[in-house]
Amino acid sequence: MKYFAVQIHTTKENLYIDSILKKLTHRTDRQRFIFPKRRLQIRKAGKNSFVMEPLFPGYIFLEIETDSLDNELYNIMRKTPHFFRFLPNNQDIHSLEGRDLTILSHFLQFGEVADLSQVYFDENDRIVVKTGPLQGLEGQIIRVDRRKQRAKVRLDFSEHSFTMDLGFEVINRANQENAK
């Protein structure tokens, strides 16, 4: 499978995907649109709740089997409202590869929703990730907020560096010792 990144007006990603799918009802099996999300815990007025936030705000991903977009799909996507551009640009559209594909594949292995990671803190007070989307990204964690149960991760994607918060839940030391 090949993946293409598409920049969309932020907050309009779901609307854009719905509009595209209505126009492509005759060929729904030839492409898949992916809008990865992350689950975060928030505290408001003293109560904890969970929210779904975009993993890559303003971007959706197109999964197709061929190496390039066909003209019909290209034209429909470009003419649909809220479209900005294909990455890296509209004149040189190519599928994700290298580091970009690795990052996307890392998150897609957890499904379309990056749930909370399970972590514990070692004797030196460093975060240790047992399972979840933070696993494998430990070297890119730049800040940990224990109270909010979030880790800020710096990622390089499409020649740009950005940070994102990923949620975690702390497992107690007894669970940590049993897991070894």
Side-chain angles (χ1 to χ4, degrees):
M1 291 292 180
K2 299 289 183 175
Y3 294 93
F4 295 84
V6 184
Q7 188 175 12
I8 307 298
H9 186 271
T10 304
T11 71
K12 303 295 184 188
E13 299 92 348
N14 286 322
L15 180 63
Y16 179 81
I17 291 172
D18 291 343
S19 297
I20 291 286
L21 291 176
K22 286 178 187 172
K23 296 175 184 178
L24 296 173
T25 55
H26 62 286
R27 52 175 282 169
T28 56
D29 60 331
R30 291 172 49 190
Q31 70 279 319
R32 181 172 82 125
F33 293 95
I34 303 166
F35 179 44
K37 296 181 176 82
R38 60 196 159 133
R39 188 169 154 228
L40 293 174
Q41 182 175 350
I42 61 167
R43 184 184 332 229
K44 201 171 201 177
K47 295 187 180 192
N48 290 335
S49 62
F50 291 97
V51 295
M52 299 299 275
E53 296 279 330
L55 200 54
F56 302 100
Y59 294 92
I60 64 168
F61 299 93
L62 170 65
E63 178 186 65
I64 58 175
E65 293 181 7
T66 60
D67 289 336
S68 61
L69 298 173
D70 61 79
N71 286 337
E72 178 188 23
L73 182 58
Y74 173 80
N75 289 326
I76 289 173
M77 289 180 71
R78 288 223 28 208
K79 292 177 183 175
T80 301
H82 309 299
F83 172 87
F84 283 138
R85 67 185 176 121
F86 291 97
L87 294 182
N89 60 59
N90 287 340
Q91 289 72 39
D92 181 29
I93 302 169
H94 60 269
S95 62
L96 296 178
E97 52 192 31
R99 182 183 67 228
D100 296 342
L101 182 59
T102 303
I103 290 170
L104 180 62
S105 298
H106 171 79
F107 288 109
L108 289 182
Q109 74 181 340
F110 301 102
E112 290 202 28
V113 176
D115 212 348
L116 303 178
S117 296
Q118 291 190 336
V119 305
Y120 65 89
F121 292 89
D122 67 9
E123 59 277 351
N124 296 323
D125 217 27
R126 290 183 302 221
I127 191 168
V128 178
V129 181
K130 294 301 288 178
T131 61
L134 282 171
Q135 193 170 30
L137 299 177
E138 292 89 351
Q140 286 128 320
I141 295 174
I142 57 174
R143 185 168 172 257
V144 174
D145 186 333
R146 285 187 178 198
R147 188 182 68 79
K148 290 184 178 180
Q149 294 186 322
R150 294 185 188 184
K152 189 172 288 291
V153 179
R154 179 180 308 282
L155 295 175
D156 295 323
F157 190 82
S158 185
E159 301 173 5
H160 293 62
S161 184
F162 66 96
T163 60
M164 72 168 60
D165 286 346
L166 293 173
F168 64 81
E169 60 183 347
V170 178
I171 56 176
N172 64 32
R173 299 239 184 236
N175 289 350
Q176 159 202 335
E177 296 302 322
N178 292 339
K180 287 185 179 179

